[in-house]
Amino acid sequence: MLNSSLKQFSTLLAAKKISSAELTGEFLKRSQALNPGYNAFITINEETSLNQARAADMIIASGGARPLTGIPIAQKDIFCTKGWLTTCGSKMLSNFISPYDAAVVERFNAAGAVNIGKTNMDEFAMGSSNETSYYGPVRNPWDTTAVPGGSSGGSACAVAARMAPAATGTDTGGSIRQPAALCGISGIKPTYGLVSRYGMVAFASSLDQGGPMAKSAEDLALMLNVMAGFDTRDSTSLQREAEDYVRELEKPLAGLRIGLPKEYFVKEINDDVARAVEAAIAEYRKLGAKTVEVSLPNTKLSVPVYYVLAPAEASSNLSRFDGVRYGYRAPKYIDLDDMYRKSRAQAFGAEVKRRILIGTYVLSHGYYDAYYIQAQKLRRLIALDFAEAFKQCDIIMGPTSPTVAFDLGEKSSDPVQMYLSDAYTISVNLAGLPGMSIPVGFGDKNRPVGLHIVGNYFTEAQMLNVAHQYQRVTDWHMQMPAGSQE
Ligand code: GLN
């Protein structure tokens, strides 16, 4: 049952083969049993979840069920959740009980889904390994000596270990796709502006985007149906007609043009990852797709550009955490200034401080033109590269991450090495495009490999179709880590 799709859970619920309270109880039991080893959840509120499940059972009984009604979903701890501790992985918010729901949480509530817990994450979503969390690292369920990726590592681990049927994530530079790849699950970062950022703790507002993480593309489509939608409370939310992301899943792929950027298949990529990605592309050819070589000449600039822009935005966004209105306040201080200083010094971790320092530096008088403005110009060029490439192809493919999951501690003392694990994902955020990762096999040490699928703006339905057709003929997405089998 643990491996069931969201649709299968929904069918079981509708047929009264199981109640939402029973289903939620099963997943809670599993989460409680596995969490001490994996550390995927920061908060589990058994009673709150079960109450929500009982309410869902009443909706089902009354015939008002929708596709996700009664299904337990884990929420990344970056989404404000009314009455729940919402920490964003930081000591700064370690005492913050949110008084309101993020738009994403509201939407899942309205759909009748059950919140099964808040997942661990890198502090303020800054990281690629979950090691910057104030709550300690998450373990990769395929190998507990490896990282799960980040920053949505708790969500990725929870889905991979079947502690939750699906989860939410956010992606500023790869945080849905990279942990999905490293944990062998599926995840999609939608086009910027499709999912409301209201109530999602801000890291780099022009890049942040929420999205679903699940076992399969079909599940992602159902989740995206709930998550996407216009919201007046987010000034960059897109006002578009609602779409059904399930509608194209079954379309055959004959004639699909897959663009393979020559800059992606270079020496930086490990052989084991390249092998699995090439095998997946061969499978796509069998499904009737054609491949064309494309070029994204500014790929190399994406990491440096991101590490100017993201810290700049973060330094501004994080200035709200001052110990005055909410969050941590230093117990001892002399005056207001000292209180600000001590609260921030005591409650932010090293990576967050590093970003604030870089961000303030690149925004300061005299450096603004040299760094920030230059980076903005390059961001434009990176977006134009994709626009050129999409003249020759419908979809772009490559590896999600240059390596499989690395060992805990392997990169934590070398920020630049850590930053490079997002070399393929970051440009997609800079361009505002949708990107996804699906599992396509295993590499060194039997750790999962992800295929990166990048679409043009608003082509989520097509991307999900492309992923689903592959998942119809392969079973990588159905494989479960040994330690979490029933
Ligand atoms: N790993 C990248 C960073 O540390 C991206 C994180 C994210 O997407 N939130 O900033």
Side-chain angles (χ1 to χ4, degrees):
M1 187 190 73
L2 289 175
N3 231 0
S4 304
S5 67
L6 297 185
K7 204 158 113 190
Q8 286 166 334
F9 282 127
S10 185
T11 308
L12 290 175
L13 288 164
K16 311 265 159 53
K17 294 249 165 62
I18 193 168
S19 69
S20 171
E22 286 163 349
L23 185 64
T24 304
E26 282 299 312
F27 277 103
L28 279 169
K29 217 164 66 201
R30 244 182 106 67
S31 294
Q32 278 155 337
L34 293 175
N35 206 46
Y38 293 154
N39 201 23
F41 285 95
I42 293 174
T43 307
I44 294 175
N45 276 337
E46 195 174 333
E47 257 329 289
T48 312
S49 300
L50 286 173
N51 282 336
Q52 230 184 337
R54 288 183 204 111
D57 280 327
M58 297 191 23
I59 299 173
I60 296 168
S62 72
R66 296 167 54 188
L68 297 190
T69 305
I71 297 179
I73 306 281
Q75 294 288 348
K76 184 177 182 180
D77 210 20
I78 198 168
F79 289 103
C80 284
T81 312
K82 192 174 176 177
W84 289 66
L85 185 66
T86 298
T87 69
C88 216
S90 182
K91 179 176 178 183
M92 183 56 93
L93 289 174
S94 56
N95 60 1
F96 178 65
I97 308 279
S98 176
Y100 73 108
D101 279 327
V104 161
V105 175
E106 271 176 4
R107 286 177 158 272
F108 277 111
N109 287 344
V114 175
N115 180 1
I116 189 146
K118 305 290 300 284
T119 59
N120 202 347
M121 55 180 284
D122 279 299
E123 184 177 9
F124 287 104
M126 298 174 189
S128 305
S129 66
N130 240 281
E131 292 166 295
T132 73
S133 170
Y134 174 60
Y135 295 90
V138 177
R139 307 270 164 172
N140 189 316
W142 291 95
D143 180 343
T144 52
T145 63
V147 302
S151 65
S152 313
S155 288
C157 172
V159 174
R162 311 304 192 242
M163 297 157 88
T168 57
T170 61
D171 192 311
T172 305
S175 278
I176 287 177
R177 293 160 286 158
Q178 186 258 15
L182 272 43
C183 287
I185 65 157
S186 308
I188 184 164
K189 178 204 94 72
T191 304
Y192 181 77
L194 209 63
V195 170
S196 170
R197 291 184 293 109
Y198 176 77
M200 190 175 111
V201 179
F203 162 12
S205 310
S206 78
L207 300 157
D208 298 343
Q209 186 58 199
M213 303 175 78
K215 295 189 287 288
S216 67
E218 184 195 55
D219 287 0
L220 294 177
L222 289 170
M223 298 269 289
L224 198 54
N225 275 351
V226 170
M227 294 176 80
F230 177 59
D231 183 357
T232 51
R233 299 165 300 181
D234 169 359
S235 61
T236 58
S237 170
L238 292 160
Q239 196 158 12
R240 308 186 83 241
E241 193 105 2
E243 275 187 62
D244 175 11
Y245 295 100
V246 175
R247 72 182 191 280
E248 286 187 26
L249 289 181
E250 301 304 335
K251 246 173 81 173
L253 296 187
L256 180 82
R257 294 170 307 162
I258 299 175
L260 303 175
K262 60 172 194 256
E263 294 78 6
Y264 283 11
F265 298 87
V266 286
K267 59 177 188 322
E268 282 83 5
I269 163 174
N270 278 26
D271 288 347
D272 58 332
V273 172
R275 261 196 307 276
V277 167
E278 275 153 19
I281 290 164
E283 192 66 52
Y284 274 105
R285 288 200 191 93
K286 278 202 243 156
L287 289 167
K290 292 190 294 245
T291 54
V292 283
E293 187 182 270
V294 294
S295 175
L296 300 170
N298 292 299
T299 296
K300 272 213 151 61
L301 295 174
S302 64
V303 172
V305 165
Y306 174 89
Y307 280 99
V308 170
L309 298 180
E313 294 186 31
S315 71
S316 163
N317 273 327
L318 269 57
S319 65
R320 75 191 65 176
F321 300 105
D322 55 7
V324 176
R325 286 155 295 183
Y326 45 74
Y328 178 84
R329 179 182 295 175
K332 284 199 214 108
Y333 48 87
I334 308 163
D335 54 17
L336 183 64
D337 250 5
D338 192 45
M339 195 268 281
Y340 290 153
R341 221 172 283 130
K342 290 215 168 88
S343 301
R344 289 168 67 83
Q346 291 166 15
F348 285 142
E351 184 61 29
V352 173
K353 286 178 182 156
R354 176 156 42 234
R355 308 263 178 130
I356 293 173
L357 282 171
I358 297 171
T360 349
Y361 179 81
V362 300
L363 288 176
S364 59
H365 183 74
Y367 296 107
Y368 184 82
D369 290 346
Y371 295 108
Y372 185 74
I373 296 290
Q374 281 301 99
Q376 289 288 26
K377 289 181 181 165
L378 292 172
R379 179 177 189 173
R380 180 80 193 139
L381 294 182
I382 289 165
L384 289 174
D385 280 357
F386 280 105
E388 270 311 305
F390 280 122
K391 287 181 184 160
Q392 291 161 264
C393 62
D394 306 304
I395 211 121
I396 290 173
M397 286 186 186
T400 305
S401 160
T403 65
V404 293
F406 40 94
D407 289 341
L408 276 150
E410 189 181 328
K411 297 189 181 176
S412 41
S413 56
D414 187 345
V416 174
Q417 273 313 309
M418 187 73 88
Y419 297 170
L420 287 172
S421 55
D422 294 315
Y424 299 115
T425 49
I426 276 177
S427 54
V428 172
N429 301 73
L430 290 168
L433 290 165
M436 77 185 289
S437 182
I438 56 168
V440 292
F442 295 88
D444 289 352
K445 300 189 182 166
N446 229 5
R447 295 177 184 177
V449 175
L451 174 75
H452 194 205
I453 303 175
V454 182
N456 212 339
Y457 302 104
F458 310 118
T459 59
E460 286 80 2
Q462 182 190 25
M463 295 162 69
L464 291 161
N465 162 238
V466 167
H468 177 68
Q469 290 303 309
Y470 176 84
Q471 291 182 335
R472 276 189 50 208
V473 295
T474 56
D475 74 346
W476 303 113
H477 64 294
M478 295 301 285
Q479 302 203 17
M480 276 164 69
S484 32
Q485 258 146 41
E486 272 171 289

